[in-house]
Amino acid sequence: LRSFRRNDGPETMARLLALLLAPAAGLVAPAAPAASTALKAEAAASLKGMSGGVQAGDPMPGEGPWDPIGFSKLHENIQGSEHAGVVPSQQWMREAEIKHGRVAMLAFTGALVQSYGMHFDGKMNGMFYEKGVNPFEATPSAFATNPMGMAQILLFIGLTEGYTFPEGAWSGDMKREPGDLGYRVMRSADVMEEQQIKELKNGRAAMLGIMAFSAAHFIPGSVPFFFNA
């Protein structure tokens, strides 16, 4: 240090400071990389045309497609590898989500109706639906007391499933929009996206709700505030 002081040169002092500060720089944590605009654009492209994501006014930050884990890119990322075709495309996943949501909404509503004692009386050719049955025992009861009625329901479901089979959805080549079965009941084009988002949210809530009902029934006490489910 004495030799540097004798020289009094500004360049020499600058070099000395650089030498002293260089080891300390290794102790400073690197700055977190900013979110990649390219990755956001890639996610948006993979989810293009699908309803949902973060909407304006939602409690989530940002707006647009929300896929922090990258599920929407799994199908494309493994193409060309030995795992190609193992993971479905986002078309198939959205189709499955909508279908499970619809079934869960029907199940949740049916569980409430059955639990509160609502019942359609009447018989036809000796067949009827039993009254006062627990929601989780209603299906086998219905098959036992009204097999023809249940057969009609299953036939309608089978015809709908066959006619609207999501051909090509696994590979992302499905021609129709996920969840679009062709029904247009009291829905105009200008509110269609709004209704699709409502259906998604209600379906997700219903899936959680019916699973809570099931857990409370089969594992008593497993769900807070659910008693005698």
Side-chain angles (χ1 to χ4, degrees):
L1 290 177
R2 290 179 180 176
S3 61
F4 281 114
R5 288 171 183 166
R6 292 192 189 101
N7 290 335
D8 283 338
E11 293 182 2
T12 305
M13 293 300 296
R15 291 172 185 171
L16 174 62
L17 290 173
L19 289 172
L20 293 174
L21 293 175
L27 302 176
V28 179
S36 171
T37 304
L39 287 177
K40 288 184 178 181
E42 192 177 6
S46 65
L47 297 172
K48 184 179 180 181
M50 291 193 183
S51 301
V54 182
Q55 306 294 315
D58 285 350
M60 295 285 295
E63 189 174 344
W66 187 76
D67 185 20
I69 301 180
F71 283 126
S72 64
K73 296 304 300 175
L74 285 176
H75 179 77
E76 286 79 4
N77 289 340
I78 63 175
Q79 295 305 306
S81 71
E82 67 273 20
H83 303 295
V86 175
V87 178
S89 72
Q90 56 271 19
Q91 271 191 336
W92 188 92
M93 289 189 282
R94 175 51 60 86
E95 175 84 6
E97 179 184 30
I98 294 174
K99 184 173 293 185
H100 283 84
R102 289 169 176 169
V103 171
M105 285 188 280
L106 290 172
F108 187 85
T109 304
L112 291 180
V113 167
Q114 192 77 5
S115 297
Y116 283 100
M118 298 178 66
H119 182 71
F120 295 98
D121 292 320
K123 291 185 179 182
M124 182 176 290
N125 295 328
M127 294 184 225
F128 62 97
Y129 291 111
E130 191 176 0
K131 186 177 181 180
V133 180
N134 185 285
F136 296 95
E137 300 169 357
T139 300
S141 171
F143 273 107
T145 61
N146 196 345
M148 289 302 297
M150 296 301 290
Q152 293 176 27
I153 294 173
L154 292 178
L155 177 62
F156 175 76
I157 293 173
L159 291 175
T160 303
E161 286 287 306
Y163 181 74
T164 62
F165 181 76
E167 183 70 33
W170 189 275
S171 59
D173 300 319
M174 186 169 61
K175 302 304 180 184
R176 62 173 175 81
E177 292 296 320
D180 185 3
L181 304 184
Y183 301 122
R184 293 292 184 273
V185 182
M186 300 176 64
R187 294 289 182 270
S188 56
D190 57 335
V191 298
M192 184 57 67
E193 184 175 359
E194 178 184 352
Q195 297 298 326
Q196 288 173 331
I197 293 172
K198 288 181 179 179
E199 182 184 36
L200 270 177
K201 291 183 176 181
N202 289 329
R204 291 166 179 169
M207 284 188 277
L208 293 173
I210 195 62
M211 287 305 297
F213 281 175
S214 301
H217 175 73
F218 292 106
I219 312 175
S222 60
V223 182
F225 309 113
F226 276 35
F227 306 105
N228 300 321

